[in-house]
Amino acid sequence: MRFFIIQIMIKSLSVTVLPNDEHNEKLIRSLLEKEVKKSGIHYKKMTSIFEKKSIDARRGQVKLHLRYRLYLDEEPPALRGADDVPEWKVADGKESVLIVGAGPAGLFGALKLLEYGVKPIIIERGADTAQRKKDIALISTQGLVNEDSNYCFGEGGAGTFSDGKLYTRSNKRGDISQILRIFAHFGADPKILTDAHPHIGTDRLPQVINNMRAKIIECGGEFYFNHRCTELIVKDGAVKGLVAINHGEEKKFYADAVLLATGHSAPDIYRMIARAAPSALEAKTFAAGVRVEHPRELIDSIQFHAKGAEKDLGAAEYRLTTQVDDRGVYSFCMCPGGFVVPSSSSPDEIVVNGMSAAKRNSRWSNAAIVVEIRPEDIPAEYKEMAEKEGCPALAGLFFRTAMEAEAKAHGKGQSAPAQRLTDFLANRPSESLPKSSYTAGLCPSNLNTWLAPHICSRLQKAFPAFNNLMRGYICEEALMIAIETRTSTPVRICRDKESLECPALKNLYPAGEGSGYAGGIVSSAMDGENSCKQIVQKNRAKINIR
């Protein structure tokens, strides 16, 4: 028995079929023809082009939504694939832009500059991907954290070794499909062009990033790895360049503008901005909580409602959200068939994150479960610390740092504090912990005794609500690992809505997650592109070049 639903749009049809009919071209075409006929449209020839697939596991029956673009009595335009990308020019060096950070905002910003023939000079505090892999391995094997080269810092940014998710709702920022085509052009699986929730995989993304770097260098761009930005060179309220330290030696860089694309895990950058212009920063909402890990088989069975379904559909995803005491509690960065990883950027803290390889085939699935934290929720002591530094906007940053240090106090090395979900809800220590993907090790800890009360109490109320949506979510095998604090930054760097320039520091263009204006790889990439486009337009207007 087959179940299907068809929803007609102007020139697109979404067809819903059972998983074993995904490749039944005859059936799908007959459904498309039937619905077009119902609409009263007459045609002699119909061409259908597959656009996107998504999985619907609601209401007890797994179904696939397959969307097609229809062309009736007309030839379809040339398909836009991985080779349909912008033309990147060789920069002559007459115009240059400093880019601080080699994450998605920085890399895509550099590529956008090369569309105009402008030279990008990328300053990255961390190492290239090859050395970064070695530094990351030391976190799990020896508990050693390199403060400049880790899961957060280094070539490719934080997403390089944490799954490479490419799903975003930021449709108004730019052309999402172009970002995906560029990734595919540089080596990502072309399936990202049609998957509803595309991801590259942490095992494949580094090579994609390396290919981007090679193209940028080929076109005249420069990379300076292991160079930490420590100071902005400011004259008459305008940024003229920056100072970076490499192995203890200072070096000054100058350019026409600076794209600040440092990610959300660099507190020293916010303090650097605060020293130069406190009014350039403002507090914003962020979130903190834990990583919750389940056996993958359990999540698959809950979501797909049938044992063994994952063999055809892959590891199951989930998305959970609720409101508790006027604050959002929600899942973030869900990693099906993935791993929990140590994401600390300092030896004085413990921070966890999640990642998946391209096949998403590990024995576990995990997601951050975090609580919304508004500026008014920050404890008074951290507000006082920020006031003493002359920048009240830093209060959330100090609070985040304190939570990460507290997690360190309840762990050992990079072994993270953890507790069974059932024990957390019963407010009792865990006598034992289930097996976990977290290779740095776990320390049993009653999270109720040290998590911030307004976070702890909301998690206590949210988990039963989540269990109502996913029966079996609360179970003995469910493991909470602390602490997850890097879903977004607690500080925003102010910028003009139109020019994207920081009003308090001219020639400075904050972009990506660290600026507080993006929340993932794709939105950060588009933000970097948009900022660099504004840089070029402003600089060329100055010298009357159109």
Side-chain angles (χ1 to χ4, degrees), residues 102-324:
L107 292 173
F108 277 80
L111 290 172
K112 176 59 70 174
L113 291 173
L114 290 172
E115 290 184 41
Y116 298 95
V118 176
K119 180 178 182 176
I121 303 170
I122 300 178
I123 313 296
E124 168 56 54
R125 71 189 297 164
D128 59 26
T129 56
Q131 179 59 44
R132 195 175 169 198
K133 285 181 182 179
K134 299 175 183 178
D135 295 331
I136 285 172
L138 292 175
I139 301 176
S140 293
T141 59
Q142 299 182 31
L144 299 177
V145 179
N146 183 323
E147 293 188 61
D148 291 318
S149 182
N150 45 60
Y151 275 101
C152 295
F153 302 144
E155 184 180 19
T160 304
F161 294 96
S162 59
D163 200 66
K165 293 178 181 66
L166 302 178
Y167 179 62
T168 182
R169 293 185 176 86
S170 303
N171 296 292
K172 295 181 180 179
R173 290 181 185 269
D175 186 354
I176 294 173
S177 61
Q178 176 165 291
I179 300 297
L180 300 181
R181 286 194 300 274
I182 291 174
F183 272 120
H185 175 79
F186 285 111
D189 192 321
K191 289 193 298 184
I192 66 173
L193 302 177
T194 55
D195 284 349
H197 291 165
H199 86 292
I200 297 177
T202 190
D203 51 336
R204 297 182 180 178
L205 186 52
Q207 185 57 52
V208 175
I209 297 301
N210 292 166
N211 294 340
M212 287 185 177
R213 186 218 311 167
K215 171 55 79 173
I216 292 169
I217 292 174
E218 177 189 324
C219 292
E222 296 179 2
F223 281 80
Y224 291 86
F225 292 111
N226 303 305
H227 282 66
R228 185 197 300 181
C229 177
T230 59
E231 184 183 350
L232 296 173
I233 299 172
V234 182
K235 184 178 180 181
D236 299 327
V239 177
K240 302 297 183 180
L242 59 85
V243 178
I245 291 182
N246 171 244
H247 300 300
E249 293 186 9
E250 285 191 350
K251 184 173 181 178
K252 294 182 179 181
F253 295 85
Y254 296 91
D256 297 305
V258 174
L259 179 75
L260 192 66
T262 52
H264 56 42
S265 294
D268 56 317
I269 292 296
Y270 299 117
R271 299 179 82 162
M272 178 189 75
I273 296 290
R275 291 193 301 270
S279 63
L281 300 178
E282 64 181 8
K284 64 177 282 292
T285 296
F286 67 112
V290 296
R291 273 274 151 185
V292 177
E293 183 175 64
H294 292 81
R296 173 191 161 187
E297 185 176 350
L298 174 64
I299 296 299
D300 290 351
S301 65
I302 293 173
Q303 292 298 81
F304 294 146
H305 312 290
K307 189 175 182 180
E310 69 277 6
K311 293 180 181 179
D312 298 320
L313 299 174
E317 300 181 47
Y318 65 79
R319 183 172 179 268
L320 297 168
T321 183
T322 188
Q323 284 282 317
V324 178

Side-chain angles (χ1 to χ4, degrees), residues 352-366:
V352 295
N353 198 354
M355 56 159 270
S356 299
K359 291 185 178 180
R360 290 182 164 178
N361 58 356
S362 88
R363 294 165 49 197
W364 297 273
S365 292
N366 69 79

Side-chain angles (χ1 to χ4, degrees), residues 373 379 399 403 447-458 483:
I373 301 173
F399 181 41
M403 288 190 285
L447 306 186
N448 293 277
T449 63
W450 60 270
L451 278 179
H454 62 286
I455 295 175
C456 193
S457 63
R458 289 184 170 94
I483 189 167

Side-chain angles (χ1 to χ4, degrees), residues 397-412:
L397 189 67
F398 293 149
F399 181 41
R400 185 180 79 175
T401 300
M403 288 190 285
E404 295 165 354
E406 186 71 16
K408 174 75 173 183
H410 293 273
K412 184 178 181 181

Side-chain angles (χ1 to χ4, degrees), residues 310-496:
E310 69 277 6
K311 293 180 181 179
D312 298 320
L313 299 174
E317 300 181 47
Y318 65 79
R319 183 172 179 268
L320 297 168
T321 183
T322 188
Q323 284 282 317
V324 178
D325 300 333
D326 197 35
R327 294 292 184 271
V329 184
Y330 54 90
S331 61
F332 180 84
C333 185
M334 197 270 152
C335 297
F339 304 87
V340 181
V341 297
S343 196
S344 304
S345 51
S346 164
D348 301 323
E349 65 196 24
I350 286 180
V351 183
V352 295
N353 198 354
M355 56 159 270
S356 299
K359 291 185 178 180
R360 290 182 164 178
N361 58 356
S362 88
R363 294 165 49 197
W364 297 273
S365 292
N366 69 79
I369 303 295
V370 293
V371 178
E372 175 189 6
I373 301 173
R374 299 178 185 173
E376 58 265 34
D377 300 328
I378 307 299
E381 61 184 295
Y382 304 108
K383 294 180 180 179
E384 292 173 3
M385 290 172 60
E387 290 285 353
K388 288 181 180 178
E389 287 226 1
C391 184
L394 294 175
L397 189 67
F398 293 149
F399 181 41
R400 185 180 79 175
T401 300
M403 288 190 285
E404 295 165 354
E406 186 71 16
K408 174 75 173 183
H410 293 273
K412 184 178 181 181
Q414 282 300 303
S415 295
Q419 185 176 17
R420 291 182 188 266
L421 177 53
T422 50
D423 291 333
F424 173 75
L425 294 173
N427 194 7
R428 65 186 178 221
S430 293
E431 295 182 0
S432 64
L433 297 175
K435 290 185 178 181
S436 170
S437 66
Y438 187 76
T439 57
L442 300 173
C443 293
S445 176
N446 188 347
L447 306 186
N448 293 277
T449 63
W450 60 270
L451 278 179
H454 62 286
I455 295 175
C456 193
S457 63
R458 289 184 170 94
L459 289 176
Q460 288 272 3
K461 296 176 182 178
F463 283 123
F466 293 159
N467 195 66
N468 288 336
L469 298 171
M470 293 179 62
R471 293 292 181 182
Y473 188 88
I474 296 176
C475 62
E476 286 295 311
E477 294 80 14
L479 178 66
M480 299 171 63
I481 306 175
I483 189 167
E484 174 91 31
T485 53
R486 306 287 178 88
T487 62
S488 65
T489 171
V491 186
R492 179 179 288 114
I493 305 173
C494 301
R495 71 184 188 188
D496 182 82

